[in-house]
Amino acid sequence: MEERWSTEHVLSLAPDAASQKAAGKLSTPAPWSAPGTDGAAVWGECGGSGRTPYRTVVELATPAYQCSCPSRKFPCKHALGLLLLWSGTPQAVPAAEPADWAAAWLDARRERAERRAAAPAAPADPAAARRRAERRGARVAAGAAELRMRLADGIRHGLADRSTAGPWEEVAARMVDAQAPGLAARVRELDGLPQERLLEEYAMLHLLATAATRLDELPTGLAATVRTRVGYTTDTAELLAGPTVRDRWLVLGSRTSPMGEGGDERLTTRRLWLRGAKTGRPALLLAFGRPGQAPDLSLPTGHALEAELAFHPAARPLRAALGTRYGAPAPGPAAPPDGLSVAEAVAGYGTAVADDPWLDAWPTVLTGVVPVLTPDGWRLTDGHHTVPVRPAAVPEAALWRLAAVSTGRPLTVFGEYGHQGFAPVTAWPGDHRPIGLTTV
């Protein structure tokens, strides 16, 4: 029997709340004619205000969308409505061969993918690349040295007097000029930090700036971590050239936030956390969407995908790029994933921080915990130890939903654990069906 997506997963693909609402009105059979699916794609024609119905097709593996409507949002309400119909009313979208217009788009998409895969890569110029790297390294080192002096000035004048430290936006702009966007993003955060956290962030930022001036002296893994934190990027094609890790990756959860890397508010960022069934390795995939467009990667929580991942170099590799897929995502194990006690989770984060001092959180599965609301906020307890839920990590409504699905009984919760607490993402209640907590 074909596994269809949950309503929650379909709605997570929407570029905004307005698209979700509009799609709900198109999730019934009435506006659709000749909808169908072959397991790899879904298609149908949606009647609108004009004479000609809009032709909509969705390729499910990526997913990818095509619609003849003039909407500038991506996916449009018609693609979302068709997916909601396919998800919630399977009998209304029967198995069939693709319509001619849908088959033409699907075939053209496959041919483009094959041409891209077969196209030879442009020859690289090692000498030019080395010169560019040296120039950027000098700029970053100079910017990091200036940042260290500005932080030291702030300490000498005293953190209580913020007038002598700023404006930090000016310093952030200088870090951008120094080609260190990671430093710039952290500098911008200083103005909004509460007084009690300033010294901590000054120290961590000073440590990062110092490390950026001594990259050649650091161990390989730590140097890679520092480069990433500073804002160096790795070409995805180069990363996927190898080595890669092939496994059956369980999708533990996802979170979409209206903020891109480096604090770019024009982008939407989607984070997807995976765990390898054979290796047990955690992995984080990032996808980005421009205004009016949802991020281009989405995998259903609780499903598993046989694929190759290429991990970004780091002292503790986590972020990865998705390479070759071997089939579409399929339902994962019926039971919740194996997890840790609260004490084990705390110890695991401590080990991770020993490798990466700037690590704010680490993906963690807690087992046998109960959500509890206390006078000091929400907590997760396993009966022996308690961990606070990170303030503002998830909406209050999501935490009440977590309490509702728990009904006072222990459950498995996936999220990120760090020094500010635990940020829940997915819960597995008694019926073992994963429930996303980041959208309600």
Side-chain angles (χ1 to χ4, degrees):
M1 180 179 177
E2 179 188 12
E3 178 70 18
R4 306 205 177 193
W5 298 347
S6 66
T7 299
E8 180 180 71
H9 177 65
V10 173
L11 293 177
S12 75
L13 305 175
D16 52 37
S19 297
Q20 292 180 339
K21 184 176 181 180
K25 299 177 181 179
L26 301 175
S27 61
T28 63
W32 294 96
S33 60
T37 179
D38 62 356
V42 183
W43 58 88
E45 296 183 88
C46 185
S49 55
R51 288 184 184 176
T52 305
Y54 296 124
R55 290 179 167 179
T56 307
V57 57
V58 180
E59 185 263 303
L60 297 171
T62 308
Y65 320 91
Q66 171 66 23
C67 185
S68 60
C69 76
S71 174
R72 302 178 72 175
K73 294 184 179 182
F74 194 77
C76 67
K77 64 181 181 181
H78 304 102
L80 293 168
L82 177 59
L83 286 173
L84 287 173
L85 179 66
W86 168 74
S87 167
T89 315
Q91 65 274 17
V93 187
E97 290 295 319
D100 291 343
W101 54 268
W105 179 77
L106 293 168
D107 291 342
R109 178 176 169 79
R110 279 192 292 268
E111 290 172 3
R112 288 194 299 271
E114 291 170 358
R115 285 197 299 268
R116 285 195 298 268
D125 184 345
R130 184 173 61 253
R131 288 193 297 270
R132 287 194 299 270
E134 290 172 352
R135 287 195 296 268
R136 182 176 185 183
R139 284 188 173 188
V140 169
E146 179 182 350
L147 177 57
R148 291 174 62 196
M149 289 190 293
R150 295 297 295 264
L151 292 169
D153 287 344
I155 294 294
R156 278 193 294 269
H157 285 93
L159 298 182
D161 183 5
R162 291 200 171 191
S163 64
T164 60
W168 285 113
E169 182 56 43
E170 175 190 338
V171 180
R174 293 182 68 84
M175 296 303 104
V176 172
D177 292 340
Q179 294 183 278
L183 291 179
R186 294 189 74 124
V187 167
R188 289 192 183 97
E189 294 175 357
L190 292 176
D191 283 326
L193 286 178
Q195 191 74 36
E196 62 271 15
R197 285 195 54 204
L198 270 181
L199 182 59
E200 170 194 337
E201 188 56 30
Y202 267 50
M204 298 308 297
L205 192 49
H206 189 275
L207 179 64
L208 181 57
T210 301
T213 65
R214 302 173 58 183
L215 283 170
D216 293 341
E217 304 173 33
L218 302 178
T220 303
L222 183 57
T225 294
V226 172
R227 289 172 65 86
T228 299
R229 298 284 181 187
V230 167
Y232 285 86
T233 58
T234 304
D235 181 72
T236 301
E238 179 182 342
L239 200 64
L240 291 172
T244 59
V245 180
R246 179 172 176 174
D247 206 335
R248 185 168 176 79
W249 301 94
L250 174 66
V251 183
L252 293 173
S254 67
R255 175 184 289 136
T256 302
S257 57
M259 183 72 72
E261 279 191 307
D264 189 344
E265 297 182 356
R266 297 170 299 175
L267 297 178
T268 297
T269 301
R270 174 169 292 146
R271 292 170 170 82
L272 297 106
W273 290 274
L274 314 179
R275 178 195 281 178
K278 302 172 186 175
T279 62
R281 291 187 64 167
L284 171 64
L285 304 181
L286 297 184
F288 305 98
R290 297 186 297 274
Q293 178 175 328
D296 58 3
L297 178 63
S298 183
L299 298 171
T301 297
H303 280 51
L305 176 67
E306 182 80 20
E308 294 180 3
L309 298 187
F311 285 83
H312 287 248
R316 178 167 283 254
L318 177 64
R319 184 179 173 184
L322 180 60
T324 304
R325 305 186 190 193
Y326 300 92
D338 294 335
L340 305 174
S341 66
V342 170
E344 291 170 333
V346 173
Y349 174 62
T351 301
V353 168
D355 291 332
D356 180 355
W358 304 279
L359 191 66
D360 292 326
W362 187 252
T364 303
V365 177
L366 295 176
T367 188
V369 292
V370 177
V372 178
L373 180 59
T374 74
D376 296 322
W378 287 92
R379 299 286 190 270
L380 294 175
T381 179
D382 59 10
H384 301 285
H385 300 90
T386 299
V387 60
V389 172
R390 190 192 309 169
V394 292
E396 182 76 10
L399 296 173
W400 283 110
R401 185 181 188 186
L402 177 61
V405 299
S406 167
T407 63
R409 297 183 177 89
L411 73 171
T412 298
V413 181
F414 165 73
E416 291 186 296
Y417 176 71
H419 61 278
Q420 295 184 50
F422 189 84
V425 175
T426 309
W428 284 262
D431 62 5
H432 299 165
R433 184 175 60 86
I435 296 176
L437 302 172
T438 55
T439 55
V440 292

